[in-house]
Amino acid sequence: MQFFGGSATTEASLLPAAPPGTGAGGPGNNAHMLYIFNRAGVCLLYREWNRPLRTLDQQQDHKLMFGLLFSLRSFTAKIDPTVVEKGNLGVPLLPGQGCSFYSFKTNTYQLNFMETPSGIKLILITHPKTGDQREPLKHIYNLYVEYVVKNPLYVPGTPIQCDLFTKNLDQYVRTLI
């Protein structure tokens, strides 16, 4: 992101070196963390593969992540240049309402976001040099549907404790790294 002048080469030099498999056009994504939230903000699943530093307890981390998503969705809807009626900033949006964002990038990570029509929110934190992660997020959602939603023993709205889902999720993420 460039705000006040400078060049793209300066920005690129501030980024950490790309991990193996994340070269331009490469298949890797070097996933760090995955969050799955339901419509009410309950964290159904949290997985981490590469998180070197933990500064918050897990519950506080989940609240902050959901709050960030809530604020970003509200903000993007508020500044949408294609809609005349903006509504109030901070008012909850229905799934699919307003414009949406897919990702944002900092110098140390990239947050990739997908929201389904049912209100399920998937957040994949990756290395900042990874490309578009919409297809991997769709694949992860398909795994969620196959192993969690279709599971007759799963109670909707409760944390996911399905070994088949986490096993297939971990296996899929390993193919991307």
Side-chain angles (χ1 to χ4, degrees):
M1 197 178 284
Q2 187 176 344
F3 291 106
F4 301 108
S7 67
T9 56
T10 304
E11 178 186 334
S13 66
L14 298 176
L15 293 174
T22 60
N29 80 344
N30 199 18
H32 297 307
M33 296 169 281
L34 173 75
Y35 297 84
I36 299 178
F37 289 101
N38 69 5
R39 179 182 299 199
V42 175
C43 186
L44 303 177
L45 179 81
Y46 171 75
R47 295 291 284 176
E48 62 183 47
W49 297 277
N50 182 18
R51 187 174 187 173
L53 181 61
R54 215 172 268 104
T55 58
L56 303 169
D57 71 355
Q58 202 169 35
Q59 189 174 17
Q60 188 178 17
D61 182 50
H62 297 167
K63 286 180 184 178
L64 286 172
M65 181 58 70
F66 189 79
L68 172 68
L69 294 174
F70 181 86
S71 298
L72 282 172
R73 284 200 65 236
S74 179
F75 179 71
T76 56
K78 187 73 171 173
I79 64 171
D80 183 2
T82 63
V83 177
V84 176
E85 180 61 38
K86 302 290 186 190
N88 294 326
L89 192 61
V91 174
L93 299 172
L94 297 174
Q97 185 180 20
C99 66
S100 186
F101 70 97
Y102 302 110
S103 69
F104 72 83
K105 189 183 300 190
T106 71
N107 64 331
T108 57
Y109 69 90
Q110 178 174 320
L111 183 142
N112 305 279
F113 174 71
M114 181 180 106
E115 182 173 17
T116 68
S118 63
I120 297 295
K121 295 165 184 58
L122 292 100
I123 302 96
L124 182 64
I125 309 292
T126 62
H127 189 274
K129 289 190 177 183
T130 58
D132 186 9
Q133 296 297 302
R134 283 183 266 186
E135 288 304 314
L137 283 170
K138 287 178 187 175
H139 186 83
I140 291 169
Y141 179 69
N142 288 336
L143 290 174
Y144 167 77
V145 169
E146 188 64 34
Y147 294 105
V148 178
V149 175
K150 291 182 179 180
N151 183 347
L153 300 176
Y154 176 69
V155 178
T158 61
I160 298 168
Q161 297 177 350
C162 176
D163 292 337
L164 275 175
F165 173 67
T166 54
K167 178 183 169 193
N168 283 287
L169 174 65
D170 290 342
Q171 182 179 357
Y172 176 67
V173 168
R174 272 193 301 276
T175 66
L176 296 174
I177 295 177

